[in-house]
Amino acid sequence: MYSSRVTLLILAVVLAGATAACGSSSGTTAGRTVSVGMRRTSFEPPIVSVRSGETIAFRFSNNDETTHEAYIGDSAAQDAHEAEMMGGSSHDMHGADNAVKVEAGQTKSLTYTFSSPTTLIVGCHEKGHYGSGMKMTVTVR
């Protein structure tokens, strides 16, 4: 039991560090706004390019009759979030710097700073959406 607690603690510290390295921005002013449509199992546009250090205000418009989410992270973070969501975890995004839940017909913004060159994914993890390809690639150069 002790070793599983230590393993979980180490995993939490590693994930927290990985998230911090990618960036986030609670209360930061955006340099530009990117409008993103959410429809069925897709984001429009499907690919966005940003500069390292740039702060983007994503304006997510849910043009659908179902709830969507936008979760920013690398492939490993997306896989972990997908497993968490499919495992029955709560869909509450309150306080998350890298995620927003957008109800049907609504628009919400998410401001995020991309701190280093990498490729990230914006994914929707509502049931069946991510597996059906609801992903947007963010290339940070």
Side-chain angles (χ1 to χ4, degrees):
M1 184 147 128
Y2 175 75
S3 63
S4 65
R5 285 184 188 171
V6 170
T7 302
L8 287 174
L9 178 60
I10 291 169
L11 180 59
V13 169
V14 168
L15 288 175
T19 301
C22 292
S24 65
S25 57
S26 186
T28 303
T29 302
R32 69 178 165 125
T33 300
V34 174
S35 294
V36 180
M38 305 168 108
R39 181 86 172 134
R40 296 185 184 166
T41 55
S42 67
F43 289 102
E44 182 59 43
I47 300 170
V48 174
S49 292
V50 302
R51 291 182 317 277
S52 179
E54 188 174 16
T55 299
I56 301 293
F58 290 100
R59 188 174 186 271
F60 292 100
S61 296
N62 184 347
N63 304 310
D64 221 341
E65 296 177 4
T66 187
T67 299
H68 290 295
E69 74 167 3
Y71 178 85
I72 301 173
D74 63 14
S75 184
Q78 296 293 336
D79 291 345
H81 187 61
E82 176 73 0
E84 180 182 299
M85 297 300 275
M86 294 307 105
S89 291
S90 170
H91 290 265
D92 183 15
M93 301 285 180
H94 182 71
D97 284 341
N98 65 329
V100 65
K101 186 174 187 173
V102 187
E103 300 295 334
Q106 300 295 309
T107 298
K108 286 199 178 173
S109 293
L110 173 62
T111 302
Y112 193 86
T113 300
F114 296 89
S115 60
S116 59
T118 189
T119 298
L120 295 176
I121 300 167
V122 177
C124 176
H125 296 275
E126 292 296 319
K127 188 173 182 164
H129 294 195
Y130 191 73
S132 295
M134 192 162 186
K135 305 169 188 174
M136 178 174 67
T137 301
V138 180
T139 304
V140 185
R141 39 186 170 75

